[in-house]
Amino acid sequence: MKAYVFPGQGAQFTGMGKELYDSNEEAKALFEKANDILGFRITDVMFEGTAEELKQTNVTQPAVFLHSVITALCAEEFTPDVVAGHSLGEFSALVACGALNFEDALKLVAKRADAMQKACEMNPSTMAAILGLSDEDVEKVCEGVEGVVPANYNCPGQLVISGSKEGIEKACEAAKEAGAKRALPLPVGGAFHSPFMEPAKAELQKAIEETVLNTPKCPIYQNVDAKPQTDPAVIKENLIAQLTAPVKWTQIVQAMIADGVTEFIECGPGKVLSGLVKKVDRKMPTTSL
């Protein structure tokens, strides 16, 4: 059983998608359609932009989405039994399983990125990765610091937390005292997957509710509940909740393996998710498109 998985923000790099654009007419047409939809040439930033330009949320999110989705849509063989995406990657996964069409998904991703950017500017906040502590211990640290919550359950021994800048500083100190190997502040614009994203959630909710979502061709394991979903109404609810809820990636990988997945194929820039899958199950075969 094959699981196709799609990365989120942070997987971007300069030059991403250029080879695909140059070598595949179908890919080139999709990239050009994306330039038209977004109203600026995102391909210029993807192919030649600086790391700093690519790091802006309103560029990063559509860029990673486009690379992932176009890679999947233009693959010679693309036959997922199940799909999942990490944070932003959930939108890529929804296109891959036929629940969202390319244009609608790109518009939602652009709206999501803008809304999150605005929320970051309203409430300065940040994230940190805690390495070498159990999930339970990190959860205890968060309970002890006001305004800090678990944000990304990436793999056993790696949990990202979100909160105010002051709160994250305190939580990093507390995590080290509790025995964490490292507590690393992340170079991000805000506290994603936390209550700090509430203004963005309100903005995105309307757009998601107005978008047509079809029954997917295969189950999608969603970030919010780590369960395989096929009901469009439930998928929409989870998609809206996703902005302020933690990403349960560890639980998604564990659930997929328990349900019979025998191979993970990563679609998009980098190999971050393949690495996380290996941390859950060292022997699990992983490849990337």
Side-chain angles (χ1 to χ4, degrees):
M1 206 161 118
K2 288 181 190 170
Y4 280 78
V5 293
F6 298 83
Q9 205 162 336
Q12 70 277 3
F13 62 91
T14 298
M16 60 192 281
K18 183 156 185 359
E19 202 181 309
L20 200 55
Y21 181 97
D22 290 340
S23 64
N24 186 308
E25 283 304 317
E26 187 190 349
K28 185 176 183 176
L30 286 168
F31 276 121
E32 286 301 341
K33 186 186 266 193
N35 286 334
D36 291 343
I37 289 169
L38 294 171
F40 71 100
R41 291 195 62 78
I42 192 167
T43 48
D44 292 352
V45 191
M46 289 171 72
F47 303 163
E48 287 145 25
T50 63
E52 201 52 46
E53 287 170 320
L54 261 179
K55 207 173 76 181
Q56 304 303 318
T57 297
N58 55 350
V59 171
T60 313
Q61 294 197 16
V64 172
F65 166 84
L66 287 171
H67 187 289
S68 303
V69 165
I70 294 173
T71 299
L73 295 179
C74 297
E76 278 178 30
E77 190 202 350
F78 183 74
T79 51
D81 296 303
V82 292
V83 296
H86 189 290
S87 186
L88 158 76
E90 192 156 281
F91 288 84
S92 311
L94 284 166
V95 177
C97 68
L100 274 176
N101 72 36
F102 176 79
E103 294 86 347
D104 287 345
L106 179 57
K107 286 173 190 168
L108 284 178
V109 166
K111 190 169 268 292
R112 179 185 193 263
D114 286 340
M116 286 170 80
Q117 186 81 38
K118 275 191 261 177
C120 293
E121 286 158 14
M122 280 166 68
N123 292 306
S125 52
T126 192
M127 302 173 86
I130 309 298
L131 308 180
L133 270 191
S134 72
D135 290 350
E136 293 73 23
D137 285 343
V138 180
E139 286 163 359
K140 273 186 203 147
V141 166
C142 291
E143 281 164 21
V145 183
E146 196 182 342
V148 175
V149 295
N152 297 346
Y153 291 81
N154 282 336
C155 63
Q158 189 192 121
L159 208 165
V160 174
I161 59 174
S162 264
S164 65
K165 289 183 175 175
E166 190 188 340
I168 289 293
E169 250 174 65
K170 280 186 193 163
C172 284
E173 286 308 311
K176 285 177 195 162
E177 281 166 23
K181 281 185 194 158
R182 298 175 81 186
L184 303 168
L186 299 178
V188 293
F192 304 140
H193 299 288
S194 81
F196 279 86
M197 288 295 118
E198 202 61 56
K201 180 179 166 183
E203 203 173 315
L204 193 64
Q205 179 164 358
K206 189 171 181 291
I208 289 173
E209 282 168 355
E210 288 168 359
T211 301
V212 175
L213 214 128
N214 306 305
T215 303
K217 294 177 194 142
C218 68
I220 175 165
Y221 285 68
Q222 287 192 277
N223 290 191
V224 169
D225 59 8
K227 290 176 182 168
Q229 302 294 356
T230 52
D231 178 347
V234 176
I235 291 170
K236 273 191 179 185
E237 273 173 38
N238 286 344
L239 211 49
I240 292 162
Q242 192 225 61
L243 269 188
T244 53
V247 172
K248 296 183 174 174
W249 190 254
T250 305
Q251 296 86 332
I252 285 172
V253 175
Q254 288 167 339
M256 283 180 156
I257 294 169
D259 292 345
V261 166
T262 52
E263 184 186 356
F264 283 79
I265 299 153
E266 185 163 1
C267 266
K271 293 181 180 175
V272 172
L273 298 184
S274 300
L276 297 182
V277 169
K278 289 284 189 196
K279 294 261 171 60
V280 175
D281 183 342
R282 217 157 35 92
K283 293 179 180 155
M284 181 57 61
T286 60
T287 50
S288 52
L289 275 186

